[in-house]
Amino acid sequence: MAQEQDRARPSPKKGRVVTSRRIGIHTSIAGGVQNCAVRAHGLGCNTMQIFSSSPRQWAAHDLNQADCGELGRLRERYDLKPLVVHNNYLVNLASTTEAFLKKSIEAFRGEIERALALCADYLVLHPGSFRGADRAKGLLQTAAATAAAAHGLDLAKGGLMILIENSAGAEYSLGATFEQVAEVMDHLKGVIPVGACIDTCHTHVAGYDIVSETGMGETLAHLEKTIGLKNVRVWHCNDAKAARGSRLDRHQHVGKGSIGLEPFRRLLNDPRLAHAAFIAETPIDVPGDDRRNVDALKTLVNSTPPGKR
């Protein structure tokens, strides 16, 4: 990813489009965490998401204090906010295996500590898998394990909020419905700062209609009723390779999948969502795909649908 993003990076002085929304993409920290800011700025972002360490290894990368400081200076220079950190994929805070749960709690505590060191605004957490238990118990355990991982750490003082992300709805996964995300949030309110991250691909393949204008309106109304739109701090803007209701989590380039461009236009121009960051997690199939996805989102802001011009 880092090599492709570096090759795709244009001169930051040329062709930068400024929008009224915070738009970015998941960005590599290869070569030092501070490098993600240069990459994100070069891709035309004004927000970004990163992993603070390898997402598929238990052994965590030690952050260099000087690099963290430099990242802060570069974020200020390039107006990159908020900074979103995504949790390790191995962590499962709903695990029914005691040893694995203990390992997951320890790893997630490390994620929180690194996010605090980076002065990140948000840390995105997948609710986990409840295989071997029931869904209600799994949701309660995810909340309890999250609280245990954060014990003794002052997230509020550090300006860090944990965001519970909705899932695509695979057989044992938690978070496929807005109600499940809201339940984890409710368990954690008053314990740690908590909000939500909504992924468009996950929402679509979990069965919600966000493609039709009517369906989008109904889905956002349901989201407001359950989670609260003001509590959705980050939108993962991913198109989908699979069909609605398929429960297959396969991200596609913005506008190139079964969701299409119009739903993203509606999200980006909805004044109720103006406080949120819109971040793509799209594939890089050929060099420049990351920049093209960022540009695709940016061009939709304050634009008119083709049929209404």
Side-chain angles (χ1 to χ4, degrees), residues 43 127 130 139 176 265 286 288 298 301:
L43 292 168
F130 67 97
L139 292 168
R265 190 194 312 274
V286 297
K298 291 169 71 174
V301 179

Side-chain angles (χ1 to χ4, degrees), residues 28-35 39 67:
S28 171
I29 64 168
V33 70
Q34 76 283 1
N35 291 333
R39 292 185 180 110
D67 289 349

Side-chain angles (χ1 to χ4, degrees), residues 226-258:
T226 52
I227 292 173
L229 294 175
K230 70 180 187 301
N231 295 317
V232 181
R233 303 303 183 94
V234 172
W235 285 85
H236 281 165
C237 291
N238 304 309
D239 212 322
K241 291 183 178 179
R244 175 186 168 197
S246 64
R247 300 185 181 273
L248 294 175
D249 184 11
R250 303 289 186 272
H251 295 187
Q252 179 59 293
H253 303 293
V254 174
K256 303 297 185 182
S258 58

Side-chain angles (χ1 to χ4, degrees), residues 1 19 37 107-108 152 255 298:
M1 178 190 286
T19 78
F108 188 57
K298 291 169 71 174

Side-chain angles (χ1 to χ4, degrees), residues 26 29 33 50-55 60-63 85-88 110-112 114-115 118 123:
H26 191 99
I29 64 168
V33 70
I50 64 171
F51 292 120
S52 65
S53 191
S54 171
H61 170 72
D62 290 329
L63 295 175
V85 177
H86 197 292
N87 186 40
N88 186 312
E111 292 281 357
I112 297 173
R114 290 192 298 278
L118 290 167
L123 174 58

Side-chain angles (χ1 to χ4, degrees), residues 168 202-209 244-247:
H202 297 175
T203 302
H204 177 66
V205 300
Y208 290 98
D209 181 6
R244 175 186 168 197
S246 64
R247 300 185 181 273

